[in-house]
Amino acid sequence: MFDAKYLESGEFYQRRYKNFSTLIIMPLFILLIVVVLFGLIATREITTKATGQIIPAKVLSVIQSTSNNAIDENLLSENKLIKKGDVLMSFKHDDEQLSTQVLTQQINNVNDRLQSLATYKTSINAGSSQFSGQDKFGYDSLFNDYIAQTSALNDDFSQQISDKETANQQAEHQVDVLKKNKAKNSDKLQQYQALLNAISHDSDIKNNMYQSIYDSYVSQRQSATTSTERVEVKQVAINNIQQQIDQFSNGNDTYDVQIAGIGKSGPLSKSSTLDKVADLKNQQLASVQKEINTDQQNLDELKAKQQSANNNYKDTVIKSPEAGVLHLGTDKSKAKYYPKGTTIAQLYPELTAKTKLEIEYYVPTSHIIGLTVNQKIRFVANQNVTQPMVLDGMVKEIDTAATETKEGAFYRCVAKLTVSRSQRENIKYGISGRVTIIKGKKTWAAYYMGKMMGDRND
């Protein structure tokens, strides 16, 4: 080893470089160099923090209120394992039950009425009653009235035929009487013509019903003294007989006119009566069909109301659509009413080794810059243990628009979780914790430079 005391200037150098200032400045300078190099080379994670909770990757169903009625029984509870068809909530349903009963009774009444109308229509077409007994709607009486009207039309036609036959018989009797009178008149006419012929030709006559006239003429002629008197007697007798002949001839003509004036009515046609019967039938059928159409429309309306009432009645009980785990957004056990359509719970899949889990968290709009899909996250559960559960994940979804709340505007984000077997035993839906989103890395120098420039994302 070289001994400094042998040097001529050793004492000078020792006093120069081993003073207090040299021993302090040099280490500090070296430390500064090391810090600067560390700041330029070493990096740190740039993160954004939020609060989130564990949710399933897929919600099986959303349970909503189905009635505005008061709650009768509430069986909802957080993380309750339920089976398909289990009753979750029931509402009071006295009004719905009464409405359903009334509508059912009305529908039955309309169906019975339609059945009676169908029987009434069949009876009209058949022309005979198809009712098995007295109809409670009175359609059997209406059918009997229709038959009575039909019978009245047929009876009226029969009466017309009878009146026609009576009138024809009377006409025939009158003609017979007139013909007999004409025959008697013709006999008298023939007697007078025979008498006239005998007097005109001065011939004799026997067996004449007017023989007395001829005998009186013969007596007067014999009493006449002159030929002139005899001619006058003959002429007077001929004139008197001719007057009688003319009267009897006129009488025959009168009888002929009277006989010709007495006519018989022709055969009556039943087509008019049949038309009236057909019109009556068509009117009855049209009336029946109109009632059927009206009742059918009423039936359709009642069935629609019944369907609505049945739905309302069914809506008074909420059953689980499938098996799963209940999740309540807030405590729903104390509420007495839920407006129809209100979301009261969600149905999550049962937790198994294959159940995919996610983290749902909300980031303020002031920290959203730099957040993208596929960034890594860390979730630290809020647990009162010495070593809290830490889960890793990756951002899956970021809403395109912020959601306004009382605390401000936030973006909803969802991240996929990677869970080990040992961690799954301690996981339940709804566990909340701190979410750290790793946006990237910066050197320490760049990090502090950003802080001085006002970057507050971390």
Side-chain angles (χ1 to χ4, degrees), residues 431-444:
I431 291 179
S432 60
R434 185 177 71 255
V435 180
T436 301
I437 306 99
I438 303 170
K439 296 193 290 186
K441 293 183 178 181
K442 284 184 179 181
T443 62
W444 284 93

Side-chain angles (χ1 to χ4, degrees), residues 303-366:
K303 285 184 176 180
K305 292 180 180 179
Q306 185 189 46
Q307 183 64 40
S308 178
N310 288 337
N311 290 338
N312 290 336
Y313 182 68
K314 291 178 181 178
D315 289 344
T316 58
V317 176
I318 301 177
K319 294 183 179 181
S320 175
E322 50 191 314
V325 178
L326 275 177
H327 169 67
L328 311 183
T330 57
D331 184 11
K332 307 290 185 180
S333 60
K334 304 298 182 182
K336 295 183 179 180
Y337 292 91
Y338 286 123
K340 188 173 183 179
T342 301
T343 298
I344 56 179
Q346 289 180 318
L347 191 60
Y348 289 169
E350 186 177 354
L351 277 170
T352 65
K354 296 182 179 180
T355 305
K356 295 181 179 180
L357 298 175
E358 296 178 346
I359 292 291
E360 181 184 52
Y361 57 95
Y362 290 84
V363 177
T365 55
S366 58

Side-chain angles (χ1 to χ4, degrees), residues 118-189:
T119 305
Y120 183 22
K121 184 177 180 179
T122 303
S123 300
I124 293 174
N125 288 322
S128 60
S129 178
Q130 305 296 312
F131 293 95
S132 58
Q134 186 176 4
D135 181 63
K136 67 178 181 179
F137 298 103
Y139 288 115
D140 59 329
S141 299
L142 290 178
F143 176 74
N144 292 333
D145 291 342
Y146 161 72
I147 292 298
Q149 294 180 56
T150 303
S151 299
L153 291 173
N154 290 325
D155 291 344
D156 182 61
F157 180 74
S158 298
Q159 185 62 44
Q160 291 179 19
I161 292 177
S162 177
D163 293 343
K164 170 184 170 297
E165 291 177 351
T166 301
N168 287 341
Q169 290 175 358
Q170 291 177 351
E172 288 179 356
H173 178 69
Q174 291 177 359
V175 170
D176 290 340
V177 171
L178 290 173
K179 286 183 177 180
K180 290 179 180 179
N181 290 336
K182 180 181 177 182
K184 291 179 180 179
N185 193 70
S186 296
D187 289 342
K188 293 178 180 179
L189 177 61

Side-chain angles (χ1 to χ4, degrees), residues 9 15 42 71 99 115 143 199 220 228 244 256 271 276 303 348 352 414 441 448:
S9 60
R15 290 179 179 178
I71 297 172
S99 177
Q115 183 62 41
F143 176 74
I199 293 174
Q220 291 178 8
T228 302
Q244 293 296 322
D256 289 337
S271 60
K276 292 179 180 178
K303 285 184 176 180
Y348 289 169
T352 65
V414 177
K441 293 183 178 181
Y448 283 110

Side-chain angles (χ1 to χ4, degrees), residues 192 195-200 202 213-221 229-245:
Y192 272 105
L195 185 62
L196 178 62
N197 186 52
I199 293 174
S200 298
D202 295 326
I213 297 175
Y214 180 79
D215 292 342
S216 176
Y217 160 72
V218 171
S219 176
Q220 291 178 8
R221 183 178 180 185
E229 290 179 349
R230 288 194 290 271
V231 171
E232 289 180 355
V233 169
K234 182 178 182 179
Q235 189 63 42
V236 170
I238 290 173
N239 290 338
N240 290 335
I241 293 172
Q242 187 61 49
Q243 288 179 357
Q244 293 296 322
I245 289 174

